[in-house]
Amino acid sequence: MTIRVAVVGAAGRMGTTVSRAVEEAEGLDLVAGLDIGDELAVEPLNGADAVDFTVPGVTETNVHTLIDAGVDVVVGTTGWTEESYERVREHLARVEGRSVLIAPNFALSAVLAMSFAAKAAPYFESAEVIELHHPTKVDAPSGTAVATAQGIAAARAEAGLGAMPDATRTDPDGARGSVVDGVHVHAVRLRGLTAHEEILLGNLGEQLTIRTDSFDRASFMPGVLLAVREIGRREGLTVGLEGLLDL
């Protein structure tokens, strides 16, 4: 059976790459490419599953509109919070048979890195996350870094570990970065980068470094296509690609 796909944010860098990948993929049919100024409604969507790669400021509104239009949605736009996830869950509970998958990263190496970090976190005294992206990225820290830090924090909490050691008392310029659930996260914006993350875990006398590098947006496409093929089988909200990879 052919899966019909509409790309929202089709004129953007990621949207263009997604559109091309869908066109070239077996069993998928690109039926619409929508961008700023286009209406997200039944007719222009043409009954297709939607893939949203827009910007953080509009992605949640898009998802609610797409749910009301009666389609399933795969979301690669970052900027989501627990509160915005919950609003989508509540919306999906009021309709029948609709599915939304929101993933902070579709690169398989990044999904695996997040999983490895969470598994390693209980065995290390310290952990920090460094994310590195191109300077046109509009949000910081990245959704991937936030999800990584949250996974580390949850694994440490489940293991009964307390706060990580840090004697810093004076940091007027924020050199220690942001803090996500007790985990320090540092953002780099540098010309020439695409999407990269380094996770540092340390004990006395040893360090584990987990690093993932995406050098081209094509690296995200296997994960996007997997999500498009699976979304119709998972009613409700799915957060993260790891659930589709049996991790």
Side-chain angles (χ1 to χ4, degrees):
M1 182 183 72
T2 299
I3 299 173
R4 297 156 58 81
V5 181
V7 175
V8 181
R13 291 181 297 269
M14 279 298 298
T16 300
T17 307
V18 171
S19 297
R20 186 183 311 117
V22 170
E23 287 179 318
E24 295 173 354
E26 184 177 351
L28 303 183
D29 183 17
L30 181 67
V31 299
L34 307 172
D35 211 275
I36 297 172
D38 294 323
E39 184 183 10
L40 300 184
V42 174
E43 187 174 343
L45 287 166
N46 206 9
D49 293 342
V51 180
D52 180 284
F53 274 95
T54 53
V55 294
V58 301
T59 185
E60 184 186 347
T61 299
N62 286 351
V63 169
H64 290 292
T65 302
L66 291 163
I67 293 171
D68 287 335
V71 302
D72 296 332
V73 194
V74 172
V75 185
T77 310
T78 57
W80 290 80
T81 65
E82 286 304 318
E83 292 75 18
S84 54
Y85 287 143
E86 188 56 33
R87 287 190 289 269
V88 172
R89 288 190 186 96
E90 291 173 357
H91 192 165
L92 289 168
R94 299 194 299 269
V95 299
E96 184 176 349
R98 293 276 64 85
S99 306
V100 175
L101 184 146
I102 303 170
N105 201 312
F106 284 94
L108 301 183
S109 63
V111 175
L112 289 167
M114 287 188 280
S115 179
F116 295 159
K119 285 179 169 59
Y123 301 98
F124 288 85
E125 187 178 18
S126 299
E128 302 213 4
V129 179
I130 305 168
E131 57 98 338
L132 310 93
H133 284 81
H134 53 88
T136 55
K137 183 173 177 58
V138 299
D139 58 325
S142 69
T144 301
V146 171
T148 302
Q150 290 171 337
I152 290 171
R156 287 176 56 85
E158 187 175 349
L161 301 180
M164 290 181 278
D166 184 358
T168 305
R169 291 293 178 268
T170 304
D171 182 12
D173 298 318
R176 292 287 290 118
S178 65
V179 181
V180 177
D181 292 353
V183 180
H184 284 270
V185 179
H186 310 268
V188 175
R189 297 292 176 265
L190 192 69
R191 185 65 67 196
L193 297 176
T194 302
H196 317 261
E197 182 175 79
E198 191 164 277
I199 306 149
L200 308 177
L201 301 109
N203 278 333
L204 184 63
E206 67 171 340
Q207 178 178 309
L208 171 65
T209 301
I210 303 170
R211 181 168 175 120
T212 172
D213 297 280
S214 289
F215 303 107
D216 190 286
R217 291 178 180 85
S219 66
F220 305 119
M221 294 308 105
V224 171
L225 298 181
L226 173 64
V228 169
R229 291 187 169 109
E230 292 290 327
I231 184 65
R233 304 176 189 178
R234 295 172 174 267
E235 188 172 340
L237 175 64
T238 300
V239 178
L241 199 64
E242 55 270 22
L244 306 186
L245 299 176
D246 197 25
L247 295 176

